[in-house]
Each structure stands twice: as C-alpha cells, then as structure tokens.
Amino acid sequence: MSNALFRKKSIDAIQKEYDRGQEDGQPMNLKKVLTVRDLTFMGVAAVIGAGIFSTIGKAAFEGGPGVIFLFLITAVTCGFTALCYAEFASRVPVSGSAYTYSYVTFGELIAWVIGWALILEYAIGNIVVAISWSAYFNNLLIGMHIHLPDWLTIGYQTAKIKYDSAVAAGLPLGDLVYTNAPSVGPLKFIINLPAFLIVVIITILAYIGISESKKSANFMVGLKLVLLAFIVIFGFYLIIADGTSDNWSPFLPNGMDGVLRGVSSVFFAYIGFDAISTTAEECKNPRRDMPKGMLYSLLICTVIYILVALVITGLVNYKEFEGVADPLAYVFNKINMPKVGLIIAVSAVAASTSVLLVFQIGQPRIWMSMSRDGLLPKRFAQVSKRFKTPAFATLITGLLVGIPTLFIDDLLMTDLTSIGTLFAFVLVCSGVLVLPKVNKARDQFKLPYINARYIVPVLVAVFIYFFKDRLSAACANLSTESYEEILFILFIVVAIIAAVLSFIKGYSLIPVLGTLCCLYLMITIPAKSWLVFFGWMAVGLIVYFIYGYRHSRLIGKKG
C-alpha cells in the first residue's frame, strides 16, 4: 500500500497527454491566449488586493516604518519560490500548479495534500476578499449618496456577534443592524448581498472564457496601478510639504521582532502570484512566458507595497494603525482629505475584483487537474465545448465561495490561508531538488545553478548564532515551552539537516533557500492556526482514501 500512496506521474506521460489533448475520448484543450503581459497583469491582479488596503495596516502597527524590510524578506522568499515554480512550469506545461508539480516529484498522496491545501487557500482567501470588497463597495455607494439597507451589506454572523457583545456590555441596542433587520419567522433576515453578487459576476466571467477574463483583469490592473501611483506621488508630496517625515523615526520601534510579527499579514498580501501557474495550458508559450510573468509581477508588486508602506507611516504615526481595517482611507481622513477616500474606494474595489477573478480562475483548474488524475469525480474535469473552460468546477467554486459570503463573519484568519500557501511553496522548492537534469531549448527557462555546498552551512551557522539565546531557552525549558518554540527547535533541526545534505550533495542554492525561508515563515504563524490546518488536512485524507485512492488513474501502474 505504501508504494501505491506515493505512485508518481512521469513528466513524459504528462507531456504526451498535453500534446494529445484527449481525455477519455473528450476534448480537453483550453484556449491558448495568454502572453507575458497577460500573465504579469494577472500576477499583479492577484497580489495587489486586500493586502494593500487592509492587512498592511496591521503589519505597519507591529513593525513601524521598518515593515518595508518584511516586504523585502517576503519578496525574496517568494522570489526563490517563483524561480522554482518557473522551473516546473518550463517542464510541466499543464494546469494544476503545485499539485501537479508535487505529483511528479513526491507522489500521489503528497500531491493530494497539496491540492487540498490549495483549495483551502483559494476558497477562504476569496471569501475574505469578497467580504472586504463589499465593505469598500458600500463605502463607495455612500460617497455617491446611495444607501443600501444595513441588513443587506453585512453577514448574519457579524451582525449577531455585535448584538451579543452589546447585550453583554449593557450597551444600547436600538441602532444595531440585528435589531432593525426584518424577520423571517424566528430568524433575522441579514445577508451580505454585494459580496454574493460580485462572486456571481466573477464566476460568470470566469465561466465564459479566459479571453474575456484576461481583458477584464488587464483593465482593472491598469486602473488600480494608475490610482495607486497617484496615491503614492501625492502622499510623498504631502510628507515633504507638511514635514511629517519625523513619523519615520524610529524606523524600527519594536526591532526586527516587531517587524516579523507582521509576517502573516504581509505574506497574505503576496498570496496569489502562484495562481497564474494554474493557467499554464492557456499560455501561448508556457515554458518561456510563465517564468517571466511570475517574476515581473513579483517585482512590480514589491515596489508598490514598499512605497505605500512608506507613505502611510510617513503621513501618520505607526501607533495609530492598531485595529484599523482600512489604513489607506484612515490616513487621508486623518489628514482631512476625505475626497481622496473616494479614489481609494475605487482602487480598493478594482483591486479586490481582480483578486477574486484570478482566484476564481485558479481553483477550478486545480480541481480539473485532480479530476483528470481520477482523484475527484470526472465532472470536475469537464471542459465547456463552447467556452473552453472547466465548466462544472467553475460553477462549484462559485457556489462554495458565494454562499458563505452571504452569512459568515470576516473573522477568517489570514494565518490559515498563509499556512496552506507556504506548505505548497515548501514542496515546490524542495521538489526542484529531485528533478532530473535535462537539456532545454535556448528560449526555455532554466533555474540558475549556484552550488549550496558551503553557502547554506555558513548561513545556517550565522542564523543559529544570532538566535542562540532563544534556542538555548527553548531547549532548557522544553517541557513547558509553547508550540511556537517547539516549532522553532524543529526548524533548527531541519535547517541543520539541509546544511549537511547541501554540503554532501552539492544542492542548488535557490530551492534550498526557498524551502528554508518558507519553513521559517510557517513557524511564525500561531499554533492555533496550525491545529485548524491539520483538521482540514485530516478531512482531506478521509476524502482521498474514500474516493481518490480507489479511483486514481495510476492504479496498477508503477511510479
């Protein structure tokens, strides 16, 4: 049974299926229309979203102006990962992203786990983004003097939580949404209608075709880049004109520890650049264009995040961002420029819409790949003859994201989404280490080889030296330490093993550093989120053994 659990798909077999374009006698070809520019814009569309309009405030409060270092650290980590994704994309030009890549390197069980983790990442991420979109859209309507009933702009769970909190605190209840909402029998009728409607619209757009989706994404990306450029230029002008640059001092008020406390918020902002790898089958030249699109989008987004972080921490003191959900709007309202808030609202709506679109495109293609391999029912692999998109999977994705947005509260932790993504990144980076060497065409991306034999051991030794006090304290009090410190000890053990193997086998530096950086970011996420993640993984394993293991197309084949 153990051999069956880790049965692998060969790259040659995947390539033959891709070239043949047939699956069980039915066409499975998707429309090939995406270029480097389209992929770059899709990457920017996915990354410049809720993070820059919401979670950047939390990170700025923790790290002060020095939060820009965290953006650089995260960008470098994502850069290592992007290079590893690019290596896989140049060899395995099919949909499925990290799921497919893990299938050819680690085998079926690990591939399933990754696919299941990506479902969590995309679904929860889009639910959170849709709810955030609804809040900004409602603010935009209010700015245009259009007022929707409050009970149509908030989830039932959110309204009930606020009502229960007011009751417990003995506060007035008359102005609360839950109090004034109409009743349907014993229940209050409270739904987040804008969030649901935008998911419906995005799902329709993703269903009818990749060409239409890319045009919409390109337009929204162009719009938000222009608006963000205005905000950055205007913001720096105000900082210089009003002499508020003192807000940048101290630059690291809480040291690097404070900077690193914002890792989940900042990493959540970067989640999504990998989603463009799910569109490999719709690229005109995936082996050449996919790597460029990933790296270009990552570079553009990092520059934007750093500039915006400097602007908001320059205009107001970093301490004011505690509990602020809309930092950009807060900053300009604070300095008595509410009209700029309208520009921010338009930017936020465009940014969130583009994120929704890229994720709604990505998740069905992962399900489609898992279905082709027999791990999910065949209907998930069904491609529309008219629109050349994964029809059934797209509709199911719309339902699974849209329905929860009607009712639930926006309490879903960015930590949970970050764990799933980092887990996928770790396996992609480490997977590159076991890929066989091949000769590539001149225009095909090739991961640069830098011998890690001496560099990684030295870096690990330096890391241990700087964290020796924490390591000593954690080891001395192992029986009473928190989960976070136990995870830190485990990371040190893994890092030492990586250093030894790098010295012995002469591994390539980039994938080793990508693996270690992602692992370190994972251990900074609170342990309670790990418990929820493991619960989700347990459910996934149950589904796999009930259905996927028995229906895999690799049954009877050797790895």
Side-chain angles (χ1 to χ4, degrees):
M1 181 178 178
S2 60
N3 291 335
L5 290 177
F6 297 99
R7 51 200 174 199
K8 300 177 183 178
K9 293 186 70 175
S10 70
I11 294 178
D12 289 340
I14 292 175
Q15 184 65 54
K16 289 177 181 178
E17 283 188 2
Y18 174 72
D19 293 335
R20 187 168 62 249
Q22 296 289 322
E23 181 76 17
D24 294 332
Q26 295 183 358
M28 70 178 214
N29 283 340
L30 303 178
K31 190 181 294 184
K32 302 181 186 301
V33 297
L34 300 179
T35 63
V36 173
R37 190 192 72 162
D38 298 325
L39 294 169
T40 302
F41 271 46
M42 286 184 72
V44 174
V47 175
I48 302 295
I52 205 165
F53 295 100
S54 57
T55 58
I56 193 175
K58 178 183 176 183
F61 171 71
E62 297 285 359
V67 73
I68 65 169
F69 294 127
L70 185 53
F71 282 111
L72 288 172
I73 292 170
T74 308
V76 170
T77 300
C78 290
F80 291 146
T81 308
L83 288 169
C84 294
Y85 266 92
E87 176 67 17
F88 271 110
S90 70
R91 298 202 198 189
V92 191
V94 297
S95 298
S97 185
Y99 159 76
T100 302
Y101 305 156
S102 296
Y103 216 146
V104 301
T105 51
F106 297 111
E108 185 171 283
L109 180 61
I110 302 300
W112 169 269
V113 169
I114 285 297
W116 195 252
L118 290 175
I119 290 173
L120 176 72
E121 172 197 340
Y122 289 177
I124 290 184
N126 252 6
I127 291 170
V128 173
V129 172
I131 295 173
S132 174
W133 183 95
S134 176
Y136 274 106
F137 181 72
N138 194 45
N139 289 336
L140 184 60
L141 291 180
I142 292 173
M144 299 168 62
H145 306 292
I146 300 173
H147 298 272
L148 295 176
D150 289 339
W151 45 271
L152 287 180
T153 61
I154 192 172
Y156 176 90
Q157 188 181 6
T158 305
K160 187 67 166 61
I161 290 173
K162 292 181 178 180
Y163 178 83
D164 291 341
S165 298
V167 170
L171 299 175
L173 307 176
D175 294 333
L176 296 178
V177 176
Y178 189 85
T179 303
N180 299 314
S183 299
V184 179
L187 297 176
K188 293 287 188 176
F189 184 77
I190 303 173
I191 60 173
N192 195 333
L193 186 60
F196 177 77
L197 290 179
I198 189 59
V199 173
V200 171
I201 293 171
I202 291 298
T203 301
I204 293 173
L205 190 58
Y207 184 94
I208 63 175
I210 192 67
S211 296
E212 292 73 17
S213 297
K214 77 161 187 176
K215 291 175 184 177
S216 302
N218 289 351
F219 170 77
M220 287 183 283
V221 169
L223 175 63
K224 69 182 177 183
L225 287 181
V226 170
L227 295 177
L228 284 172
F230 166 77
I231 292 171
V232 167
I233 294 172
F234 187 54
F236 275 113
Y237 167 78
L238 292 176
I239 292 170
I240 296 171
D242 298 340
T244 61
S245 58
D246 288 345
N247 287 323
W248 287 331
S249 181
F251 203 73
L252 290 169
N254 299 314
M256 283 303 294
D257 287 342
V259 170
L260 291 173
R261 282 199 294 270
V263 65
S264 292
S265 301
V266 169
F267 190 78
F268 180 79
Y270 276 94
I271 287 175
F273 84 89
D274 60 311
I276 64 176
S277 65
T278 65
T279 64
E281 290 182 38
E282 288 141 301
C283 298
K284 290 183 177 179
N285 189 339
R287 288 189 170 91
R288 181 195 66 196
D289 297 346
M290 187 72 67
K292 291 182 179 179
M294 282 187 175
L295 296 173
Y296 291 166
S297 62
L298 196 59
L299 177 61
I300 292 170
C301 294
T302 300
V303 172
I304 292 172
Y305 273 127
I306 289 174
L307 292 177
V308 170
L310 287 174
V311 165
I312 64 172
T313 56
L315 289 174
V316 302
N317 189 275
Y318 75 96
K319 295 179 181 178
E320 298 189 33
F321 291 112
E322 183 175 12
V324 174
D326 51 350
L328 279 178
Y330 173 83
V331 164
F332 286 98
N333 287 331
K334 179 75 176 179
I335 61 177
N336 298 316
M337 291 188 173
K339 290 185 178 179
V340 180
L342 181 63
I343 296 176
I344 293 171
V346 173
S347 301
V349 169
S352 300
T353 305
S354 64
V355 174
L356 284 167
L357 179 57
V358 173
F359 275 28
Q360 289 297 93
I361 289 173
Q363 182 163 316
R365 284 151 181 80
I366 293 175
W367 282 357
M368 177 184 71
S369 297
M370 296 173 76
S371 177
R372 286 177 179 174
D373 296 329
L375 305 186
L376 287 176
K378 290 182 179 180
R379 291 205 66 186
F380 284 92
Q382 182 183 43
V383 174
S384 168
K385 293 182 180 180
R386 178 180 178 185
F387 299 113
K388 300 296 183 181
T389 57
F392 180 76
T394 300
L395 294 177
I396 294 299
T397 298
L399 289 174
L400 290 181
V401 174
I403 293 176
T405 61
L406 284 170
F407 310 108
I408 69 170
D409 179 50
D410 187 15
L411 294 176
L412 295 166
M413 297 294 289
T414 56
D415 297 338
L416 191 58
T417 307
S418 298
I419 287 179
T421 306
L422 284 167
F423 188 43
F425 286 3
V426 166
L427 289 185
V428 169
C429 291
S430 56
V432 169
L433 297 173
V434 298
L435 283 175
K437 294 182 179 180
V438 294
N439 294 321
K440 294 186 177 182
R442 180 176 298 179
D443 65 341
Q444 191 173 347
F445 176 83
K446 183 178 181 180
L447 182 70
Y449 174 76
I450 303 173
N451 195 325
R453 172 168 285 117
Y454 301 108
I455 298 176
V456 170
V458 169
L459 290 176
V460 171
V462 170
F463 181 88
I464 293 174
Y465 174 78
F466 279 108
F467 285 88
K468 62 181 183 298
D469 293 338
R470 179 182 177 184
L471 181 61
S472 297
C475 292
N477 305 289
L478 187 60
S479 60
T480 58
E481 282 292 358
S482 64
Y483 287 116
E484 285 85 353
E485 294 309 300
I486 293 174
L487 289 173
F488 177 72
I489 294 173
L490 290 175
F491 170 76
I492 295 296
V493 173
V494 172
I496 292 173
I497 293 173
V500 172
L501 290 177
S502 296
F503 181 80
I504 295 173
K505 298 189 176 183
Y507 281 148
S508 176
L509 179 65
I510 291 174
V512 173
L513 290 183
T515 301
L516 292 177
C517 288
C518 290
L519 281 173
Y520 182 76
L521 292 181
M522 287 183 77
I523 69 168
T524 64
I525 296 173
K528 62 181 180 180
S529 297
W530 279 81
L531 296 177
V532 177
F533 176 71
F534 286 139
W536 173 257
M537 288 296 103
V539 173
L541 289 175
I542 292 172
V543 174
Y544 171 72
F545 284 111
I546 290 177
Y547 185 89
Y549 178 77
R550 302 175 185 276
H551 293 83
S552 170
R553 292 187 63 214
L554 296 186
I555 290 178
K557 296 181 181 181
K558 296 182 179 181

